[in-house]
Amino acid sequence: AVLKDILAGFEQALLCNNVNAVSSEGLSRLAKGFACSSGSCLWTNPAFYIFWFLVTFQGLIMFWAWRHDRLWRNAGLWSDECWLTDNLQFVVPEKKLPEVIEHKIMQVKRFAKHPASNLSLFASTTVVQHAVASRLRISVRDLGILLQWAKYTVEPLGEDAENMTRKQMAQKLKKLHDKAKLIAFVPNIYRCMDEQLKVYQDALRQGSSRLALLRYIFVAQHPWMKLSHFSVLTPAKEQALVLSVQVFGSMWSAAMWYEGESSSYGDDPRCAKSERFVVVLARSIMVSFLSLFFASIPMLVLGILSARKFMFKESWTLEEVRKQLRSWRIKKIMFWIIGPFVVVFSIVFSTAFLANVTSDDGLKWLLSATVLFMKLFLLRPLLVGAVFVGLAFLSLRWYADPFLQRKARDRLCLAPDAELDQQASELDNGEMQQAMTLGVVGGEENHDFADIDF
């Protein structure tokens, strides 16, 4: 009997939807709603005005993001050719599934030995990265990529400086600068990283500035505020389009399985509300799964099309460079075909849904969408910030360890600090052994919990 109720709930979730909103009859009601005929009028529906206010606002954000990207592009800070490298250090070795699982198990074991110290290291590097990203208006993900690119691009030049004349060095630097003028700003990133690490340490010692740290993380994580940050991975207009797909796609999926008195499937006897708890629960679970599934597919596709990573070859010919750049251009064209199509379809479907339900059901649907906005634009950034700042202050006791502080500088790609090295050298053997276990000193670096990239 329980299995039968579960299957009945699943069947209701699959059959009872509002897909008729975009049928010929549903679109006819949409036209009548715009024309205010046959007792239907969208212009007197409050939900219609609220929804199209959101559409207009998101359109203005897209226009602003396009202008913002135009300024960045004209500055010539980055080019797609920077992703093509002949430096083997950029290559991340591919691992088979058993090796990945074994590596993850080792990470968990290593973390379990000294959880407090690892959490302290993780919190410190994460908070400082978000603070720098917020101050310099750089994406958090891009910050690590830029530092990696600068390290493996500029450092080899320094190593070869003895074998080159000043003219040869100047020519190489000019060539690098012409490809990506961002290289000139890398010293500012290191300087700001060093400053923010000191601010973070002072905040921990004094027990203050919690709100300042929280503000940095909130700004770096907020979907709208991130649009003003420079990104080599995803330009602002692409981020704005992905955000529109996420917002309107979620509203479309919520409208598709909205259950109200005026839903288009209301006359179907198979969709009658059941009083059996298992049927109601099974239907709710299936509806949640279907909503999440259909809202996530476009996001996954757009993420694949916009993904970039360093491509390694021992020697890049001009034809190979053109071929790879052409491949990325094709992906970008597909990105700008699929993304706007999903947004337009979601807007049309949602508007047709409002024309086929009562004003009360439209407002209830918008109320459910408000929960999504609160989660996306307020709760998620605040929660992420609260967790990181909370971990930072809870782990204050362990962060006083000079080995951890030195490891934090290493994770942030900062130069060694003489004072920390002096303090570390004064530790006894037991503390030295613990630090080596943590991967802080000596031997190959242990990639533990603190390596997770958020």
Side-chain angles (χ1 to χ4, degrees):
V2 174
L3 180 60
K4 185 177 179 180
D5 288 345
I6 293 175
L7 294 177
F10 288 170
E11 182 184 13
Q12 279 193 348
L14 293 171
L15 296 176
C16 306
N17 53 61
N18 293 301
V19 70
N20 289 333
V22 288
S23 64
S24 57
E25 183 182 352
L27 293 177
S28 176
R29 289 183 183 177
L30 174 61
K32 292 176 182 177
F34 278 115
C36 288
S37 61
S38 301
S40 175
C41 188
L42 284 171
W43 304 106
T44 59
N45 189 340
F48 174 76
Y49 285 101
I50 297 173
F51 175 70
W52 274 93
F53 171 79
L54 175 63
V55 172
T56 305
F57 181 73
Q58 195 64 28
L60 292 174
I61 288 179
M62 281 291 302
F63 178 72
W64 176 88
W66 177 79
R67 288 181 57 86
H68 188 69
D69 273 348
R70 190 177 178 183
L71 296 174
W72 286 122
R73 186 173 62 252
N74 292 340
L77 296 181
W78 185 266
S79 67
D80 282 343
E81 289 187 32
C82 295
W83 295 107
L84 309 178
T85 179
D86 56 3
N87 190 337
L88 190 61
Q89 292 177 298
F90 283 101
V91 180
V92 178
E94 295 185 1
K95 297 180 180 179
K96 297 181 179 179
L97 183 59
E99 296 176 338
V100 173
I101 295 175
E102 182 181 0
H103 179 66
K104 295 298 181 183
I105 293 175
M106 290 296 295
Q107 283 184 338
V108 173
K109 288 182 179 179
R110 213 171 275 126
F111 167 73
K113 289 182 179 179
H114 304 283
S117 300
N118 279 312
L119 279 176
S120 175
L121 185 58
F122 171 64
S124 62
T125 53
T126 303
V127 171
V128 173
Q129 286 171 349
H130 279 79
V132 173
S134 179
R135 290 289 299 274
L136 297 181
R137 297 171 65 187
I138 300 176
S139 164
V140 177
R141 289 178 61 197
D142 285 58
L143 186 62
I145 291 174
L146 293 176
L147 290 176
Q148 179 191 22
W149 173 73
K151 178 179 180 181
Y152 295 144
T153 304
V154 178
E155 283 188 2
L157 292 178
E159 295 173 358
D160 297 338
E162 296 181 358
N163 302 323
M164 290 189 295
T165 64
R166 289 177 60 89
K167 185 177 180 180
Q168 291 174 329
M169 175 64 76
Q171 288 175 345
K172 284 203 169 188
L173 288 175
K174 185 180 183 303
K175 184 178 179 181
L176 182 61
H177 185 266
D178 291 341
K179 185 186 292 186
K181 293 182 175 60
L182 190 66
I183 196 70
F185 298 95
V186 170
N188 291 340
I189 298 178
Y190 285 114
R191 193 179 304 113
C192 185
M193 191 86 75
D194 200 11
E195 292 174 357
Q196 291 304 315
L197 181 58
K198 292 176 181 178
V199 169
Y200 170 78
Q201 293 169 345
D202 292 340
L204 290 182
R205 295 190 190 100
Q206 299 170 8
S208 60
S209 302
R210 289 177 173 86
L211 290 179
L213 296 177
L214 180 61
R215 177 173 59 86
Y216 285 138
I217 298 178
F218 182 85
V219 170
Q221 290 286 334
H222 197 278
W224 281 333
M225 296 181 183
K226 284 196 297 186
L227 297 180
S228 64
H229 294 180
F230 173 75
S231 175
V232 299
L233 283 170
T234 313
K237 60 178 178 291
E238 294 184 11
Q239 293 184 52
L241 180 59
V242 170
L243 182 60
S244 298
V245 170
Q246 185 176 9
V247 170
F248 295 119
S250 298
M251 295 184 76
W252 162 77
S253 61
M256 181 70 170
W257 284 279
Y258 176 78
E259 183 180 0
E261 297 178 0
S262 59
S263 297
S264 60
Y265 57 81
D267 298 332
D268 192 335
R270 295 173 298 179
C271 298
K273 288 186 178 180
S274 175
E275 297 181 355
R276 301 178 70 87
F277 173 75
V278 177
V279 175
V280 175
L281 179 62
R283 177 176 178 174
S284 300
I285 292 174
M286 178 56 74
V287 166
S288 300
F289 169 77
L290 291 173
S291 300
L292 181 63
F293 177 76
F294 283 102
S296 301
I297 287 179
M299 300 290 294
L300 178 63
V301 173
L302 295 180
I304 293 173
L305 292 176
S306 62
R308 295 288 183 274
K309 65 177 182 178
F310 290 107
M311 309 287 292
F312 169 77
K313 278 183 180 294
E314 291 184 0
S315 177
W316 287 90
T317 64
L318 183 59
E319 182 59 30
E320 289 173 336
V321 171
R322 288 175 177 174
K323 183 179 179 180
Q324 184 59 50
L325 295 179
R326 191 184 309 118
S327 172
W328 283 337
R329 279 195 297 269
I330 293 173
K331 286 186 176 182
K332 186 162 291 188
I333 292 172
M334 293 175 63
F335 179 94
W336 282 103
I337 292 175
I338 295 173
F341 173 80
V342 173
V343 172
V344 171
F345 172 79
S346 301
I347 292 173
V348 171
F349 187 94
S350 300
T351 307
F353 168 78
L354 290 175
N356 283 270
V357 298
T358 62
S359 296
D360 289 341
D361 278 339
L363 288 174
K364 290 177 181 177
W365 167 70
L366 277 180
L367 182 62
S368 65
T370 303
V371 176
L372 166 70
F373 299 144
M374 292 287 290
K375 180 181 74 172
L376 184 63
F377 297 106
L378 183 62
L379 296 181
R380 183 182 295 174
L382 279 177
L383 182 61
V384 171
V387 168
F388 287 149
V389 174
L391 286 175
F393 280 89
L394 286 175
S395 59
L396 172 62
R397 169 185 170 188
W398 293 275
Y399 189 72
D401 187 343
F403 278 126
L404 283 180
Q405 294 184 37
R406 193 164 74 173
K407 185 61 176 177
R409 294 186 65 86
D410 181 57
R411 290 277 170 86
L412 296 171
C413 301
L414 294 175
D417 184 274
E419 184 178 350
L420 285 178
D421 291 342
Q422 172 92 25
Q423 294 175 7
S425 64
E426 296 174 356
L427 293 177
D428 59 28
N429 292 333
E431 291 171 313
M432 176 69 76
Q433 183 63 39
Q434 176 181 347
M436 292 180 67
T437 306
L438 283 171
V440 178
V441 185
E444 183 179 355
E445 178 182 351
N446 291 328
H447 296 280
D448 50 27
F449 181 76
D451 284 324
I452 298 176
D453 181 15
F454 274 71

